[in-house]
Each structure stands twice: as C-alpha cells, then as structure tokens.
Amino acid sequence: MSYVAVKGGERAILNSQKLVAENRRGNPKVSELSLDQISEQFGLAVDRVMVEGSIYDRLLGALALKQAQGDALEAIFLLRAFRTTLPRFGVSAPIDTGAMRVRRRISATFKDIPGGQVLGPTYDYVHRLLDFSLAAEVSVGSAEANAAEEALDPTMPRVIDILGQEGLIEEEREGGGEVFDLTREPMTFPAGRDQRLQNLARADEGFLLGLAYSTTRGYGGAHPFVGEIRLGEVLVEIEPEELGFPIAIAEITVTECQTINQFRGSAEKPPQFTRGYGLTFGHCERKAISMALIDRALRAPELGEDVRHPAQNEQFVLPHTDNVEANGLISHFKLPHYVDFQAELQLLRRLREEHEAAKDAGATQ
Amino acid sequence: MSTNSNNEQSGHNEGYNFAYLDEQTKRMIRRSLLKALSIPGYQVPFGSREMPLPYGWGTGGIQVTASVIGPKDRLKVIDQGADDTTNAVSIRRFFQMVADVATTEKVLEASIIQTRHRIPETPLNEGQIIVYQVPTPDPLSKIDPRESETRKMHAYAEYGVMQLTLYEDIARFGHIAKTYDYPVLVNGRHLMSPSPIPKFDNPKMQDNPAIQLYGAGREKRIYAIPPYTTVKSLDFDDHPFSMQSWSGCCSLCGSTTSYLDEVITDDSGGRIFVCSDTDYCNDRQAQLLCDEHSEVQT
C-alpha cells in the first residue's frame, strides 16, 4: 500500500511548538530579552499591541511581543485571548483629556493657541538617517532633553472647544445612557457612535491608515485639518456604587486626535465644521489620525452626505477592521480543505466532460 | 487507540475556568443556543469571545462545545472527517487541557462531536450533540454582503434570490453547480448554511435524532437544528437535489457509499480514493480482517 498518511498528528504539533520556541530564543549565546527591555526600549511596539489588544498593561504587552518574536499581530492576538478571560467589574467615567498632563500637543489649524504648541517627542522632524551610533553596544553620551525655561501651562484647553464657542463647529453631543461594549456584544447596523469608535480604536493600524489615505485621494472627499493632537497622561476613574463618588484607579498614556472637516450644510443645518475623533492607548499618532478620518467618513449618512466610497460604508469598514478576525480567516486557508476541494474537483471534471461532449456534438452536426 | 481519557501531554490547566470560558459567558451562549433551538435555522447574534485559537479555525464551534460540555462528556473532534488532522488534534488537545474531558474517535461513544466540513458516515443517535464550525453563517451574504439587507430577507422569508442563483447554474451548465455549503431550508422557514460540508452530507441533517448546533465565532452567530427537524436542500421540481457519487470504491475498506478523498500517490499521476471519515473506514477495515479471519477458521 503506497498510501502515505497526509494527515498530521499530535507529535508533529508538539515538535512544531518546540521549533518555534527554539527560533524564538535564537542563538543562546546572545543574552535573552527581558520584559523591561522590551517595554522601555520598544515602547511604541508595546503601545500598538496594547491598543489593538484592547488591554492597558505594558508588561503583558511586552510579554506578548516577546512570546510572538516581535510579530505585532500575533502579540495582539495573545493579548486578546488573555483579555477575554478577565471579568468586567465596572465601567470607568469618561476620561477627561482636557485635564491631561500634556507631553505633546500640536494644532495644525492655529499658529498659536492658549497653552502653546508643544512639540514633545516626535519623529516628525527627525531626518530618517540610520544612526550608526546606536549600533554600538554602549550608549554614547547623554540623551537627556533640556528642560524648558518655563513650565507648561497647567490648563490646556482643547483647540476644538475654542471653535465651538463661536458655533463654527458642530457641538459635541453628550453621550448619556449605557455604553455599548463591543467586547461583549456583537455589532449591529446601523452602528452607533460608541460601536464605531470602539471598533476603530481596536482596528488594525495598517488597514485604517490605508482607508484613511483613500479618503484623501478621491474616494471620500474629505479634506481634514488636524485641529489638535495631544499626547500625555490622564486619570482613569470609576465610581463604585457603594461609594457614590469617583476614585482614580490608574493613570494611562493616551493619544487623542480631533480633526476638523468641512460640511456644506443642509436644509436644516447651517454650514459648519464637523468633527472626527481618534483616541488610542499609548503613543500612536498615525493610528489616532487615521481613526479620526474614518470616524468622520463613516458619519456620511448621519450628515446627509452620499455614501459612495468604501471608507464611508460602515458595513464595509467596521466588519473588516479587526486584525485578529481578519488574520484568523485568511490564515485558515492553510487548514485542510480536502473534502470541499474534492467536491470542486469532481464538479470541474464533470463540467469539462460536458463541455467536450457539447463541442463534439457541435462538430458532428 | 480509540479512547483515551487524558494523556500526559495535556494535563488540566489550573489557571482557567473549566472549559476555558467563564460561567457568565457560558450562560450567555447557552441562552443563545436555546433561542437557536427554538427557532430552527435562525441566526442568533451572540457575544462571541476571542479564543486562544484563531478565528476561522473553529472558534464558534469551540465556544459552543465549551458551553455545553461537562466533566462526564466524551468528546470527538474531526476535521475533513478525520480525527488525526492537525486542527482536530489541536482542538481536542485544547479541551483536554482546559476541561480535562475524555475523548474518543468512535462516533457512537461520543456524547459531543465537534466537526469541520463533514458529518460522520455512522448515523447519530438521540442524546448526542454535533457541533459544526461555521465560517459564513449567512447563505445570503454572497448575494448581498449588507447585513441590514439579508436580515430583512430572512425576516420576510424572501429567498427567491437564492433560488435564482441556483437557477442561473442550471441555465448555464444544465445542473446546479454548487458542491458544498449547499443551502437548506430548515423547518420550512429559515434558509440556512449547513457550513462547508459537501452536499453529499446534506441529507444526513434531515430528521437527525441528534441535536445539531452551529457556531460562527468571527461572525458572532449561533444557529441550531433540533432533533427530528425537516431540513430540505433547495432544488427545483425538474432539477431535484442530487449528491456526489464515485465510480470507484475506497481503496482501504472498499466502501462504495462513503465520501471519498482523492490521494495522490506518486508524481506520475497515480491516485487512489479513500474514505474521508477515518473512524468509519477503520471500523470497516477491522470488520473485513475479522471476516477473513473467521473464513480461514471455518
């Protein structure tokens, strides 16, 4: 019998896992990465994994990245599968980004703003030249930034709120009521603002970036202005029922982006600026801007605009943003499909036979 | 090896609740299952969780199994009809690890069977549960990807478009050219995807004494067929439903009635056909050996 078992077994799986562990460790002569090293020196990678993994924990993010050999999507998946086992013990009060301890805050719409422009840490004005001094194992000199002569203004009003005073920009609606929880309930359409923003907050950064890009190239007609981007620390507060007042349970780093978009007005509404909103854990500006653009694009029906492009179509965008879902289905094509393939093979042979027969019949006539 | 309780490679993982999911989640899924059983073939939205296995690899089925499994259950997991395909092995190991349950390869010994792409050849009995892994729960999504539209079509039982797609095949090829995930009408009311089982398996769903549960994790839908329910494959009076058949037989057990996989044996086009259902095939091979043996003795 020449039939070789094509079906893999338990032993193959166990050995494959050992091979992964071996590859992960790499050359044992090279010292092993610690979670602190990853968290401190690969901070932006940890930030991305925390946002899309929907869990704020730098050490877990670092652990996931270490376990995933630095593969962001794999690390995000690990965090999600862990997070799903955690109980939900409360809902926090909305964070107040107006009270943020700001480290970076810029506006592209006004030259000067109350509280000032604060460049903070950014790659924006760094020339992307490989810095060979970093290749040296020992650090060269001090990398400490100089402190500003004046302390930052403790109050940094959000730029968009200043426009709001004139009525030039739509009012921010108070949410109120129970907030939808995307991690506990399936999405429904039309999706409310809470569903949309939760979905976009954990969306794949690359996918959002590409979609956001498409809106600026004729597939969405958005010309956005970055009203403000701010990065810094905010308090997370919960209000336990038995206490009756809020208590702070954590301080987290967030990036917030508010875009300002044109709106020509409708029969009911005067022309005014509209908003797009983006918020992420950690320092993820690319994601925050993309999120704000897509948030605004998806509001087309609400504002009475025609839905003509992919980025405006919530039933196209929202079900496809999640990279754990997307990666799962796309990678499942690696699974065996012998049975369905056999069915298709049989059908194809039959169709070809029928095609031949029809051709022959045509020739004899 | 037909039955093993828990082998040394697995061992129960103390860090997680029995069968991985927390009890609130299980309760939510059980409620969805009850609703699904009450409205056969209707897709119930549920709060699907992230599982430690990827979406598309059986997370819906795994969540359903995790919600109905108890310590006394005996689980069989198959993929492509076989117990030894890697994903079946992986899911079985998962349940050995998080639920410490006994497993089996025998259809008749199993209280729960989780499957991808096949229904076992051996008929199921009352009291058994078969859990299907489903990638695309809505058969109408290929016709209109907008869920807001397909939900309306289901609500009004407006299934003409589905019938029309099948008719287009007939107009073009002279017969329906759908080979797997062949749509069915359940209990005379809801159009349902049977999951990507070959249409060969469709008749097995009809009046099945077992409980049939379908879980789609990524799409967050659960649906079900209670025991002894009418499950009709869509067709036309002049083009009745027909299933696949093979001219040959299984090269290992000689079966002429089971679903056969094609196996390429060499690089010069040699091929054989073998049963896709390994448990069924092994049983028949054992039976053949037994018969030969008794013939020699007599």
Side-chain angles (χ1 to χ4, degrees):
Chain A
M1 183 85 267
S2 59
Y3 170 44
V4 197
V6 283
K7 291 158 179 170
E10 186 153 5
R11 214 155 47 110
I13 293 179
L14 290 172
N15 276 326
S16 154
Q17 287 166 1
K18 284 182 192 155
L19 280 173
V20 168
E22 209 177 283
N23 286 345
R24 175 188 302 125
R25 182 59 185 89
N27 184 348
K29 288 186 190 136
V30 177
S31 57
E32 192 174 337
L33 272 175
S34 73
L35 297 192
D36 283 340
Q37 283 173 329
I38 297 172
S39 163
E40 291 298 310
Q41 296 172 36
F42 271 12
L44 296 180
V46 172
D47 284 348
R48 175 173 181 196
V49 164
M50 290 195 306
V51 182
E52 294 172 39
S54 305
I55 185 166
Y56 195 96
D57 189 316
R58 297 203 72 81
L59 271 193
L60 284 183
L63 173 60
L65 275 167
K66 178 176 177 175
Q67 189 177 333
Q69 298 172 261
D71 179 348
L73 267 64
E74 184 65 28
I76 289 160
F77 184 10
L78 285 169
L79 280 189
R80 288 273 193 93
F82 174 76
R83 152 188 219 293
T84 194
T85 65
L86 301 175
R88 189 179 76 161
F89 62 84
V91 178
S92 73
I95 57 170
D96 180 4
T97 51
M100 176 187 280
R101 203 149 49 73
V102 167
R103 284 194 281 140
R104 166 167 164 75
R105 182 259 205 147
I106 53 151
S107 169
T109 49
F110 296 101
K111 189 170 182 186
D112 204 2
I113 39 179
Q117 304 258 19
V118 182
L119 195 57
T122 175
Y123 283 106
D124 287 350
Y125 302 98
V126 174
H127 298 147
R128 267 62 165 214
L129 301 168
L130 275 179
D131 180 354
F132 295 103
S133 71
L134 287 174
E137 294 283 318
V138 282
S139 61
V140 258
S142 158
E144 227 166 90
N146 299 325
E149 282 162 20
E150 287 173 56
L152 284 180
D153 205 324
T155 51
M156 291 243 188
R158 302 192 305 179
V159 171
I160 286 207
D161 298 341
I162 301 168
L163 277 177
Q165 291 160 7
E166 240 185 293
L168 290 176
I169 192 158
E170 60 175 330
E171 271 179 58
E172 192 169 36
R173 287 158 304 162
E174 288 296 321
E178 201 167 317
V179 179
F180 183 86
D181 185 349
L182 192 63
T183 68
R184 290 289 189 264
E185 292 162 72
M187 201 147 42
T188 52
F189 294 106
R193 184 172 188 243
D194 47 0
Q195 285 189 51
R196 180 173 72 236
L197 291 177
Q198 284 174 30
N199 176 289
L200 296 178
R202 50 200 243 144
D204 182 81
E205 180 175 311
F207 182 70
L208 275 198
L209 177 68
L211 270 182
Y213 183 42
S214 77
T215 67
T216 67
R217 294 190 66 262
Y219 295 89
H223 192 283
F225 297 94
V226 171
E228 185 183 279
I229 281 190
R230 55 169 62 198
L231 159 76
E233 280 66 43
V234 293
L235 288 178
V236 178
E237 294 180 322
I238 56 166
E239 193 174 318
E241 260 176 48
E242 62 273 25
L243 276 186
F245 56 87
I247 50 169
I249 54 164
E251 188 187 67
I252 62 171
T253 304
V254 296
T255 307
E256 183 186 57
C257 174
Q258 297 219 55
T259 55
I260 301 173
N261 301 65
Q262 279 175 353
F263 176 58
R264 300 274 175 224
S266 63
E268 295 83 40
K269 288 183 185 169
Q272 63 179 176
F273 289 127
T274 51
R275 302 162 183 259
Y277 188 77
L279 183 76
T280 72
F281 286 153
H283 190 185
C284 299
E285 282 177 30
R286 188 187 302 124
K287 165 80 177 264
I289 298 181
S290 305
M291 177 174 168
L293 287 177
I294 299 302
D295 173 46
R296 173 59 185 81
L298 288 175
R299 292 182 56 208
E302 170 198 332
L303 295 166
E305 298 169 336
D306 286 344
V307 175
R308 279 185 303 195
H309 306 294
Q312 299 169 314
N313 183 340
E314 65 173 10
Q315 292 196 63
F316 172 75
V317 175
L318 299 183
H320 299 126
T321 56
D322 192 300
N323 61 28
V324 179
E325 290 176 3
N327 182 39
L329 193 77
I330 295 305
S331 65
H332 113 284
F333 291 117
K334 292 183 281 186
L335 280 178
H337 285 80
Y338 319 135
V339 166
D340 298 347
F341 185 71
Q342 181 59 37
E344 288 292 272
L345 201 57
Q346 234 189 357
L347 175 69
L348 185 65
R349 284 180 181 141
R350 178 173 166 190
L351 291 179
R352 287 173 64 91
E353 273 168 26
E354 287 167 358
H355 183 75
E356 279 302 307
K359 222 168 64 179
D360 291 348
T364 50
Q365 269 169 11
Chain B
M1 183 181 66
S2 63
T3 300
N4 58 345
S5 49
N6 47 62
N7 58 32
E8 73 280 5
Q9 281 147 347
S10 49
H12 185 52
N13 191 327
E14 295 297 332
Y16 292 99
N17 191 34
F18 177 81
Y20 187 77
L21 296 174
D22 58 281
E23 293 304 314
Q24 281 87 351
T25 300
K26 286 186 195 171
R27 189 169 60 183
M28 175 271 295
I29 293 176
R30 286 175 195 145
R31 280 179 177 160
S32 306
L33 287 170
L34 288 176
K35 180 168 180 183
L37 282 163
S38 315
I39 318 172
Y42 169 74
Q43 300 164 53
V44 182
F46 81 110
S48 176
R49 302 290 194 253
E50 278 101 351
M51 299 299 284
L53 284 83
Y55 284 119
W57 296 54
T59 53
I62 293 169
Q63 290 180 74
V64 169
T65 300
S67 305
V68 297
I69 203 166
K72 288 185 184 154
D73 272 305
R74 191 174 288 280
L75 178 69
K76 171 180 165 79
V77 184
I78 49 173
D79 185 342
Q80 314 297 301
D83 298 87
D84 60 352
T85 35
T86 35
N87 202 43
V89 170
S90 163
I91 292 172
R92 188 163 52 240
R93 274 167 47 81
F94 175 72
F95 279 109
Q96 283 170 336
M97 189 170 77
V98 297
D100 206 14
V101 291
T103 59
T104 179
E105 295 185 0
K106 296 264 163 259
V107 168
L108 294 177
E109 284 175 6
S111 53
I112 301 172
I113 299 169
Q114 181 169 329
T115 180
R116 172 169 174 265
H117 291 198
R118 276 312 309 277
I119 300 175
E121 308 288 0
T122 313
L124 304 177
N125 293 325
E126 274 183 23
Q128 285 186 301
I129 296 175
I130 180 164
V131 178
Y132 298 77
Q133 301 171 197
V134 181
T136 311
D138 196 336
L140 296 172
S141 68
K142 289 187 195 83
I143 297 167
D144 192 330
R146 291 171 300 173
E147 194 197 310
S148 52
E149 297 308 306
T150 58
R151 283 185 82 87
K152 276 181 219 152
M153 290 189 226
H154 282 294
Y156 295 122
E158 260 183 31
Y159 297 137
V161 279
M162 194 60 176
Q163 212 78 30
L164 189 64
T165 33
L166 299 180
Y167 175 73
E168 280 169 358
D169 275 359
I170 294 175
R172 184 156 173 225
F173 304 115
H175 51 84
I176 295 169
K178 188 137 182 69
T179 57
Y180 61 90
D181 206 349
Y182 190 105
V184 293
L185 197 67
V186 181
N187 201 27
R189 174 58 181 84
H190 279 100
L191 184 69
M192 188 194 96
S193 154
S195 86
I197 56 171
K199 64 178 178 178
F200 178 90
D201 283 339
N202 273 21
K204 294 178 184 148
M205 290 181 289
Q206 160 79 10
D207 284 335
N208 197 310
I211 296 174
Q212 303 179 74
L213 305 176
Y214 297 77
R218 190 175 40 81
E219 300 286 350
K220 303 172 178 60
R221 295 290 183 274
I222 279 174
Y223 50 97
I225 304 176
Y228 303 111
T229 302
T230 309
V231 180
K232 189 179 181 315
S233 302
L234 295 192
D235 62 357
F236 299 91
D237 291 344
D238 51 346
H239 284 275
F241 173 77
S242 70
M243 33 187 245
Q244 292 100 335
S245 59
W246 283 260
S247 48
C249 65
C250 170
S251 298
L252 299 177
C253 77
S255 171
T256 53
T257 55
S258 72
Y259 192 88
L260 300 180
D261 273 348
E262 189 167 336
V263 179
I264 297 170
T265 49
D266 52 44
D267 53 8
S268 53
R271 58 196 64 202
I272 58 169
F273 289 88
V274 296
C275 291
S276 104
D277 185 335
T278 46
D279 170 45
Y280 172 82
C281 193
N282 290 342
D283 267 4
R284 281 181 50 89
Q285 289 177 60
Q287 192 59 45
L288 283 175
L289 266 180
C290 214
D291 292 350
E292 273 173 30
H293 195 63
S294 52
E295 269 170 38
V296 172
Q297 278 184 335
T298 47

